[in-house]
Amino acid sequence: MSEFLERSVEELRAELARMESRVRALERGEVRFGGALVGRTTLGERPREDTAESIRVTLPPPPPPLRAEAPPAFSPAALPAFTTVPPASSPAPPPPFTIAPQPVAPAARNGDDLESQMGLTWVNRIGAVTLILAAGFVFKYAADNGWIGPWARVLAGLLAGGAACAAAEFLVRRGHRVVAQGVAGLGIAIFYFSLFAAFQIFELLPQLAVFGLMTGVTVLGGALAIRYQGQALAVLAAVGGFLTPLMLSTGENRPWELNAYLLVLASGAIFLAVRQRWHGLAWMAYLGTKILFWASVFDDDGQAPYYPTLVFGVLYYALFLLTPWRGIAVLAQVSFGAAILAGSVWGGNIQWTWQLVLPLAVGVAVAVFRRRAAEAVAALLTAHALVASGLLMMLESGADGTLPKDALGMGLLVAIWAIFAAWAMLSWLRLPNAVPETVAALFAINSLAFAGEGVALMDAAGWQTQGAFAFALAALHVGLGLPAVSSLIGEDRYPTVARMAQGLGVFFLACAIPLQLEGPLIAALWAGVGLALAWASSLRRSPWMEASAYVLFFAAIVRLAAVDFPNLSTDPAPFSHGVFFTSMLVGISMLGAAWLWTAASHRLAAAFGGHFVILTTLILEAVRWGERGAPGGDALIFQTALVSVILSVYAAMLVAVGVLARSRANRIGGLVLLLFVVAKLYLFDVWLLDTLFRIVAFGVLGSMLLATSFLYSKLKHTVRSLLTEEPSAHRAGNPPPAALFDQEPPAGPVP
């Protein structure tokens, strides 16, 4: 594909050159036919009146007809300076202006295409690895059979490694750079194997001497990688360098010496990676360093003096921050926070205070300096993860020293929240590539984690201030969403965060109610807050306020159904206790929201929910009344009759409200409910009642149905005039008394 594209580009260039040549020929007045110069015209020149044989060629729009003259007699001795054109009567067209075609240069082959990568680079590297394994097997076979002694084996390996490096140099001088990389990698690997055998297998050399020789091999591998421009060779040398402590290990953990070596090795690898832009080498340096660092930390368990975990955690963080790669910087930030905490805890300071705040502050400072969010976000998530794990250990073990339980602990949590929130609002949003939705999401995570950790810490300390804490959080976040704060910050992308802050404020307020209060008052306050949100969203259309109102109404219903009604005893009198009034208040609040909202879907959903809650509450109270002792002694008959009466009265009220408020939905709802009562009477009630009750029930129901039919027939003109009357302004003046559903559009002009 690359060759085809290059060939096409070359052809286009050649065509462009031909067109430019034609334009220049026209400007000079040359006439070419088949690539040969056959004459000249006066195109682009000042007309010459003293030349009889010439003809003036102009290009005015439209072109005038050409005048032709008789051609002069042909004389081979002297050709005229200008050619003549054929007579106007000649039908032959003029020859085209062309230039001789130029040969197209063949497109250069791309040496980095897939075929080249597979046939040269990867085959070379696979071959090098194969030869390394073959050399290891040959070496082992010779050792097992006693062909050569220990010194001879080690020297043979060193000579083979040197020969491979010399062969690589010979190949690179002949222009085979990729092949030379594989051969040099083979030599480096043979050097490592030979030195490992000299110390661990044959015990020919002391540890310090072999360590120095292996370090020299690592340096040699880095130098050859620079010379041959091979990142794979550099990675191989780095792997050997990180494996050197493991190959020379005696089982004794010496964190100071190990991490000093790792720091030097990682520094060289990072310097080379940044200079050569070798991403793979940088990742190899980071992973090798961190694996060995944390292995030494856990193996030491804080026994080494002078806190090597703390010291080298800071040094490694400073080193890896120099890399331009964001992923390494993020992981370095996480490791930095964990190292600070581990060093402090193992140092005897198990009260987590500055060990969590300092890495977060440093990460935010680095993010401000580099004008990117990766370090600060990593620091935030690390801080909250460490706090959560500490709280979990404290709550499970009952320990008093994992996290401070007094004001110091709350100060720690406040500092974590405030540092990130201030940076997000004042700095992150001002970055050119900042996404407001991402900032708002991380702001929400920070606030939710802060709230959960604060409540858990208060619970562990035995404080009774969780509700006050949630109320304070609600007030704080609602305040951050005010327009005055937006104008103070002055960032056009802040409204997204402001809306998130307002939503969090409502959420914390909803959570504060059950934390501070008890009983059915919780559901009542949730419904009240939902009604307030519905009112606020009716003034200014706000989807998050509408959604929050739905959530609070739903939470109130769930609270009533799952907690309040199941725990209600039979002692309170029906229709006169707190749970009943709370449930009625929840239903009325939803009906109020339906009246406030203007969108048909919202009004319908809220009104349906309100009617459902009110009807369900009335039915439950009727059932409780029958359970407490029904008149006449038959509880089931009493409950059934009372439920039918409640449904019938409610249906009649819906029809009446639908007529007065000109709401077709209310009228239809009342009629459907009335039909349900009829179906219930015929299918269920008739089998429970005795003759007297049947007569009364059927008589009352039939009378109501006939009265409804008579009223619709007798007052149909009045009803039609009421229904077609132009409704008053819903928000400007006094609203209809109970416009619970969508109002009907006027059927015609007002009479």
Side-chain angles (χ1 to χ4, degrees):
M1 180 62 72
S2 60
E3 293 182 1
F4 174 75
L5 292 177
E6 291 189 359
R7 190 176 298 110
S8 300
V9 170
E10 293 296 332
E11 292 176 355
L12 290 175
R13 289 177 178 173
E15 184 66 23
L16 180 62
R18 288 195 293 269
M19 297 299 295
E20 291 177 350
S21 178
R22 289 183 182 181
V23 172
R24 287 194 297 269
L26 287 173
E27 291 177 349
R28 291 194 300 267
E30 297 177 354
V31 181
R32 292 181 177 269
F33 179 74
L37 180 63
V38 298
R40 290 182 177 272
T41 68
T42 58
L43 181 64
E45 298 182 2
R46 188 176 184 84
R48 297 174 55 186
E49 299 179 355
D50 56 345
T51 305
E53 295 84 5
S54 65
I55 182 170
R56 299 175 182 176
V57 180
T58 58
L59 296 174
L66 298 176
R67 295 182 298 104
E69 298 179 0
F74 177 76
S75 176
L79 288 174
F82 295 92
T83 63
T84 59
V85 298
S89 60
S90 175
F97 292 177
T98 60
I99 62 173
Q102 301 291 332
V104 179
R109 293 185 59 84
N110 186 3
D112 294 330
D113 58 5
L114 181 60
E115 181 180 359
S116 178
Q117 288 287 335
M118 294 180 61
L120 183 61
T121 305
W122 290 108
V123 170
N124 173 262
R125 292 174 182 176
I126 294 173
V129 173
T130 304
L131 288 177
I132 291 172
L133 296 176
F137 291 143
V138 171
F139 189 84
K140 184 179 184 304
Y141 184 80
D144 293 340
N145 289 275
W147 292 354
I148 52 176
W151 275 107
R153 300 169 192 171
V154 173
L155 291 176
L158 295 177
L159 290 175
C165 293
E169 183 65 22
F170 175 80
L171 290 171
V172 79
R173 291 176 181 271
R174 296 298 185 274
H176 306 289
R177 181 174 57 86
V178 177
V179 180
Q181 294 175 9
V183 176
L186 173 64
I188 296 298
I190 293 175
F191 278 141
Y192 280 124
F193 284 143
S194 301
L195 294 174
F196 170 75
F199 175 74
Q200 290 286 10
I201 300 177
F202 305 128
E203 299 180 355
L204 300 178
L205 296 173
Q207 183 188 44
L208 185 60
V210 177
F211 176 78
L213 292 174
M214 284 190 171
T215 303
V217 173
T218 303
V219 174
L220 175 63
L224 293 178
I226 296 175
R227 174 168 175 75
Y228 302 157
Q229 291 298 304
Q231 180 178 195
L233 187 57
V235 171
L236 176 63
V239 170
F242 287 113
L243 290 178
T244 295
L246 300 179
M247 291 189 290
L248 304 182
S249 175
T250 59
E252 180 185 0
N253 187 27
R254 302 166 68 179
W256 282 102
E257 292 83 352
L258 172 63
N259 284 284
Y261 166 75
L262 293 177
L263 183 63
V264 174
L265 178 60
S267 300
I270 291 298
F271 172 77
L272 186 58
V274 173
R275 179 180 177 182
Q276 301 292 331
R277 308 297 298 177
W278 286 343
H279 194 184
L281 178 60
W283 274 105
M284 180 64 235
Y286 177 81
L287 294 176
T289 302
K290 289 301 179 179
I291 290 173
L292 293 179
F293 167 71
W294 284 109
S296 67
V297 166
F298 287 111
D299 187 60
D300 180 64
D301 198 18
Q303 300 301 318
Y306 308 115
Y307 315 119
T309 303
L310 189 62
V311 172
F312 286 103
V314 175
L315 293 176
Y316 288 143
Y317 176 66
L319 171 64
F320 291 112
L321 276 183
L322 298 176
T323 62
W325 295 285
R326 185 171 302 178
I328 294 178
V330 167
L331 292 181
Q333 182 67 49
V334 175
S335 180
F336 172 60
I340 292 293
L341 182 61
S344 302
V345 170
W346 280 325
N349 185 8
I350 58 176
Q351 295 268 332
W352 299 7
T353 51
W354 62 269
Q355 298 91 338
L356 293 170
V357 176
L358 177 62
L360 176 61
V362 172
V364 169
V366 172
V368 172
F369 176 75
R370 288 192 166 183
R371 296 184 60 80
R372 68 185 189 188
E375 290 82 357
V377 172
L380 167 74
L381 299 179
T382 302
H384 282 303
L386 294 175
V387 169
S389 61
L391 283 169
L392 183 63
M393 290 187 295
M394 181 176 65
L395 294 175
E396 289 182 351
S397 62
D400 295 332
T402 305
L403 277 175
K405 298 181 181 180
D406 50 9
L408 183 62
M410 286 305 303
L412 163 68
L413 298 180
V414 170
I416 292 176
W417 178 86
I419 290 174
F420 183 83
W423 170 78
M425 292 184 292
L426 301 177
S427 180
W428 190 5
L429 282 173
R430 289 181 168 84
L431 296 179
N433 56 347
V435 181
E437 290 76 14
T438 304
V439 180
L442 268 297
F443 177 82
I445 291 175
N446 184 34
S447 297
L448 292 173
F450 171 48
E453 292 158 2
V455 172
L457 188 63
M458 292 177 182
D459 183 68
W463 297 351
Q464 302 299 322
T465 56
Q466 292 90 336
F469 174 65
F471 276 118
L473 278 180
L476 174 62
H477 285 78
V478 170
L480 290 176
L482 295 176
V485 178
S486 300
S487 61
L488 180 63
I489 293 178
E491 175 58 47
D492 56 354
R493 287 177 284 187
Y494 181 72
T496 303
V497 180
R499 288 191 294 270
M500 178 63 73
Q502 291 174 345
L504 290 171
V506 174
F507 175 76
F508 291 140
L509 178 60
C511 293
I513 293 173
L515 288 174
Q516 194 67 30
L517 303 175
E518 296 179 354
L521 186 60
I522 296 174
L525 289 177
W526 278 344
V529 176
L531 181 59
L533 286 173
W535 171 76
S537 64
S538 67
L539 298 179
R540 185 185 64 182
R541 184 66 184 273
S542 176
W544 76 264
M545 287 186 181
E546 295 170 350
S548 300
Y550 276 119
V551 171
L552 288 173
F553 287 140
F554 181 76
I557 295 173
V558 171
R559 169 80 188 190
L560 288 170
V563 178
D564 294 333
F565 272 110
N567 294 331
L568 183 64
S569 63
T570 57
D571 295 335
F575 305 102
S576 61
H577 53 84
V579 177
F580 169 74
F581 291 117
T582 299
S583 184
M584 295 296 291
L585 179 62
V586 171
I588 293 171
S589 298
M590 298 182 71
L591 294 179
W595 181 81
L596 288 168
W597 279 329
T598 57
S601 58
H602 292 325
R603 301 185 69 189
L604 182 62
F608 177 82
H611 289 309
F612 176 80
V613 171
I614 293 175
L615 272 176
T616 304
T617 304
L618 294 173
I619 292 173
L620 290 176
E621 288 303 293
V623 172
R624 288 187 66 252
W625 192 358
E627 292 175 351
R628 284 172 56 89
D634 196 336
L636 181 58
I637 293 177
F638 176 78
Q639 291 169 344
T640 302
L642 186 57
V643 168
S644 297
V645 171
I646 291 173
L647 293 177
S648 301
V649 173
Y650 204 90
M653 292 176 59
L654 280 178
V655 173
V657 170
V659 172
L660 295 176
R662 301 176 304 282
S663 172
R664 182 183 294 110
N666 272 330
R667 296 195 305 273
I668 293 176
L671 293 175
V672 170
L673 189 58
L674 195 60
L675 293 176
F676 174 78
V677 175
V678 174
K680 175 179 176 294
L681 179 63
Y682 281 101
L683 298 177
F684 183 77
D685 295 353
V686 71
W687 306 106
L688 299 177
L689 302 176
D690 55 17
T691 304
L692 181 60
F693 278 103
R694 291 177 189 175
I695 293 173
V696 174
F698 276 82
V700 173
L701 182 59
S703 301
M704 291 179 61
L705 292 174
L706 289 176
T708 303
S709 175
F710 174 77
L711 288 175
Y712 265 95
S713 176
K714 183 69 176 178
L715 304 176
K716 58 182 179 181
H717 299 291
T718 306
V719 171
R720 185 180 296 112
S721 64
L722 287 174
L723 296 181
T724 57
E725 184 180 344
E726 187 72 25
S728 60
H730 184 53
R731 298 291 179 264
N734 295 325
L740 304 181
F741 285 74
D742 288 337
Q743 297 173 350
E744 299 174 1
V750 179

